[in-house]
Every structure is written in structure tokens, then in C-alpha cells.
Amino acid sequence: MREFVTIAALGVAMAVTGCSKSANSDGPVKREAGNWKTEVKLVKFEVPGMPEEMKAGMKQMVEGASGMDQCFTQEQVDKEDIAAELAKEGSGNGGECKWSKKDVAGGKIDVAGTCTANGQTMDMAMAGTMEAKKSDVTITTKGKIPTGGDMEMVMQVVSTHTGPCQAAAATKS
């Protein structure tokens, strides 16, 4: 189950880091500095033969990232560049991704590729919207599980600007 979480973390990390700087409508949208709250919902999780209690545990683990607050300073926002991160062909967290599609422009995100983490390879797709004060990205991960059979996981990650950073409550990224 740790492999699923690592692959999922790759997608969530990219969705949470969200938007990047652009002066025109053809490039990525620039995120507004301040406090951002992220909600994560497990929309679909199918693993043939997996006991229901393990599926419930996975849902709880993934959705445990919900409610996360992050403070982004203007300096951090100015340095963000999701297109450059995608161009690195890797996503950190011990995983690496090779992207076959990297469309991040005009307030939309449409990314697809293959990611490898912990020796396991999964197909990953991210699609959604990115605005100055909100991003809504659906992440679909498909692949073979170590015991054989196919796994599919669909998550929705919604990040919303909630106002200025709260010094005591926010965590800086």
C-alpha cells in the first residue's frame, strides 16, 4: 500500500504546488500569495481482491491530507514554475515521471505520463483548472499492483486561497 501512497503523493504534491507565473493568458496562471487550504478527496479506488478495510484505510490516509493550510509568500509565488518542474522529468518524493503531455496554460492543466516510485510504475494523468485564488485538479493513477491485477485511483485536489497568511497557524512550504 505504501507504493500507492508514494505515487499518489507525486500527484498531490504537484497539484498542491499549483500555479506559476505568467503575464499572458496563454501561460500558466499566477497563484496569489497568502494562505491556501487544500482538500483531498478519494473519488475512486479499485484494487481487485483488496479487502474493504484496507480500501477504507487507504481512503482515510489519502483524505488525511485534507484541511492542510500552507502559507505562500510573494517571493515563493514569484519563483513557482510548474512547467519548469514538469520539464525536470521527475517529481521528487523518491519518484520519477516521464511526461507524454504537459499542457499547463490559460488556466487549465492537462498532464499525462508514467511515474515510477519504489520500483513500481504507474500511469498518471492530471486534469483541471488553475486560477489565482483556486485550483481544482483530478489526478488519475493506473497500474499493476505487486500481486498482479490492475489498480485505479482517482483523487480530486482542490486548493483555495483563504486570505493573508496567519503567522501562528500557517506552515511555509
Side-chain angles (χ1 to χ4, degrees), residues 115-172:
C115 297
T116 304
N118 298 324
Q120 187 171 7
T121 300
M122 297 279 182
D123 292 326
M124 181 182 289
M126 292 178 279
T129 59
M130 297 187 306
E131 301 168 8
K133 291 191 174 201
K134 183 176 183 179
S135 65
D136 185 344
V137 180
T138 299
I139 303 163
T140 302
T141 308
K142 296 179 181 180
K144 297 280 184 199
I145 58 173
T147 58
D150 296 320
M151 182 279 299
E152 181 178 7
M153 180 168 49
V154 179
M155 295 181 297
Q156 182 181 21
V157 181
V158 178
S159 295
T160 307
H161 183 270
T162 58
C165 292
Q166 305 297 317
T171 44
K172 293 194 175 191

Side-chain angles (χ1 to χ4, degrees), residues 41-166:
K41 179 181 178 187
L42 187 61
V43 177
K44 182 178 185 179
F45 184 60
E46 293 184 4
V47 180
M50 179 178 274
E52 288 303 316
E53 60 272 8
M54 284 185 75
K55 288 181 185 179
M58 182 65 180
K59 181 175 181 166
Q60 183 178 9
M61 192 180 314
V62 169
E63 292 184 354
S66 278
M68 178 177 57
D69 281 310
Q70 289 183 289
C71 172
F72 293 95
T73 65
Q74 189 62 52
E75 182 182 5
Q76 288 171 312
V77 169
D78 288 345
K79 290 180 181 178
E80 284 182 327
D81 189 346
I82 195 169
E85 289 301 313
L86 288 171
K88 289 180 184 177
E89 299 296 334
S91 298
N93 294 332
E96 183 175 318
C97 298
K98 302 247 185 249
W99 305 111
S100 57
K101 183 187 334 183
K102 297 186 279 191
D103 297 331
V104 183
K108 304 277 185 204
I109 182 168
D110 188 9
V111 177
T114 303
C115 297
T116 304
N118 298 324
Q120 187 171 7
T121 300
M122 297 279 182
D123 292 326
M124 181 182 289
M126 292 178 279
T129 59
M130 297 187 306
E131 301 168 8
K133 291 191 174 201
K134 183 176 183 179
S135 65
D136 185 344
V137 180
T138 299
I139 303 163
T140 302
T141 308
K142 296 179 181 180
K144 297 280 184 199
I145 58 173
T147 58
D150 296 320
M151 182 279 299
E152 181 178 7
M153 180 168 49
V154 179
M155 295 181 297
Q156 182 181 21
V157 181
V158 178
S159 295
T160 307
H161 183 270
T162 58
C165 292
Q166 305 297 317

Side-chain angles (χ1 to χ4, degrees), residues 5-37:
V5 174
T6 302
I7 294 287
L10 296 173
V12 171
M14 290 179 59
V16 168
T17 58
C19 316
S20 65
K21 179 160 90 169
S22 177
N24 63 49
S25 63
D26 294 328
V29 174
K30 183 178 177 180
R31 179 204 323 239
E32 189 169 310
N35 193 68
W36 284 75
K37 184 174 188 116

